[in-house]
Amino acid sequence: MLLVLAHGSRRHGSNEEVRRLSGRLGELLGERYARVAPAFLELAEPPIPAAIDAAVSAGADEVVLFPYFLAAGRHVCDDIPRLVAEARRRHPRVRLELRPHLGELPGLLPLLAEYLR
Amino acid sequence: MLLVLAHGSRRHGSNEEVRRLSGRLGELLGERYARVAPAFLELAEPPIPAAIDAAVSAGADEVVLFPYFLAAGRHVCDDIPRLVAEARRRHPRVRLELRPHLGELPGLLPLLAEYLR
């Protein structure tokens, strides 16, 4: 199972973007993950802890968590690692793998340079 | 001139990430832009209006503005377009080109799929 972790927004359309992204990743990565779903830090449903709990209840023994964040701010450095640590205590038998956030992807800079050229 | 528009964070390191990104884009895109610099919506220096004004004072007759944001939330949909509209009124002779935000880059989804595979 892959969870795409986003901030969440008061703007409905912004949360829908994340849901659409999760859906498309689910199509592209169907062989790697049984399911891809979004989860939000605040302002949108489901919250990250509930999404992890739901994945475990549904039988996942591995949950990959991908922070869909550009900057290593408070959310990426503190809030998300804390939520994951808490979830590990709730589900000691499940492998919760927190990936580096999007802003750290090595391919991002060449993509931006190509687009802005 | 290219301005990389970011949110700004209380966390110094997060703002530094944006400054580093701007620096690396400046190296990669030196033939296209005389300068690449960061500008922030809040919590970091320089603010977007001041960065635009400084570019114009330095002689730029074109400023490309790239919102380094993932989601089309309030900042991308309302705040940044408003700041750009205000800057256009201050500098009617300068071409201010507001680009789509990072989250809309077509190449982003394949990059994510590759990374998460």
Side-chain angles (χ1 to χ4, degrees):
Chain A
M1 163 107 205
L2 169 65
L3 286 178
V4 177
L5 312 183
H7 186 282
S9 169
R10 281 185 191 82
R11 184 180 279 269
H12 178 71
S14 167
N15 301 325
E16 283 306 305
E17 272 186 272
V18 177
R19 292 184 211 286
R20 271 198 305 275
L21 172 77
S22 296
R24 285 183 295 179
L25 283 174
E27 291 162 18
L28 291 170
L29 299 174
E31 289 184 18
R32 167 71 181 83
Y33 302 101
R35 247 189 96 213
V36 178
F40 298 91
L41 203 50
E42 54 186 54
L43 300 169
E45 290 289 325
I48 294 170
I52 295 172
D53 294 353
V56 174
S57 297
D61 51 10
E62 178 207 40
V63 183
V64 174
L65 302 119
F66 171 55
Y68 187 61
F69 285 73
L70 282 176
R74 183 168 44 92
H75 299 313
V76 164
C77 294
D78 303 335
D79 299 338
I80 290 176
R82 177 177 45 78
L83 292 174
V84 173
E86 289 168 4
R88 284 191 180 120
R89 285 195 288 274
R90 288 198 304 281
H91 309 292
R93 276 163 225 277
V94 177
R95 199 159 78 85
L96 297 178
E97 182 191 342
L98 180 56
R99 288 293 202 98
H101 66 291
L102 167 57
E104 282 197 359
L105 284 208
L108 190 58
L109 181 68
L111 179 71
L112 296 183
E114 183 57 35
Y115 167 66
L116 293 165
R117 199 174 298 277
Chain B
M1 164 107 208
L2 169 66
L3 286 178
V4 177
L5 312 182
H7 186 282
S9 169
R10 279 185 193 81
R11 183 179 279 270
H12 178 72
S14 168
N15 302 325
E16 283 307 305
E17 272 186 273
V18 178
R19 293 185 211 283
R20 272 198 305 276
L21 172 77
S22 295
R24 286 184 293 178
L25 283 174
E27 291 161 18
L28 291 169
L29 298 174
E31 291 186 17
R32 168 70 181 83
Y33 302 100
R35 248 190 94 216
V36 178
F40 299 92
L41 203 51
E42 54 187 53
L43 301 169
E45 289 288 325
I48 294 170
I52 295 172
D53 294 354
V56 174
S57 296
D61 51 10
E62 179 207 39
V63 183
V64 173
L65 303 119
F66 171 56
Y68 187 61
F69 285 74
L70 282 176
R74 184 168 45 92
H75 299 312
V76 164
C77 295
D78 302 336
D79 298 339
I80 290 176
R82 177 177 46 78
L83 293 175
V84 173
E86 289 167 4
R88 285 192 179 120
R89 284 194 288 274
R90 287 197 305 283
H91 308 293
R93 276 162 226 278
V94 177
R95 199 160 78 84
L96 297 178
E97 182 190 342
L98 179 56
R99 288 293 201 95
H101 65 291
L102 167 57
E104 282 198 359
L105 285 206
L108 190 59
L109 181 68
L111 179 71
L112 297 182
E114 183 56 35
Y115 168 65
L116 293 164
R117 200 176 297 280

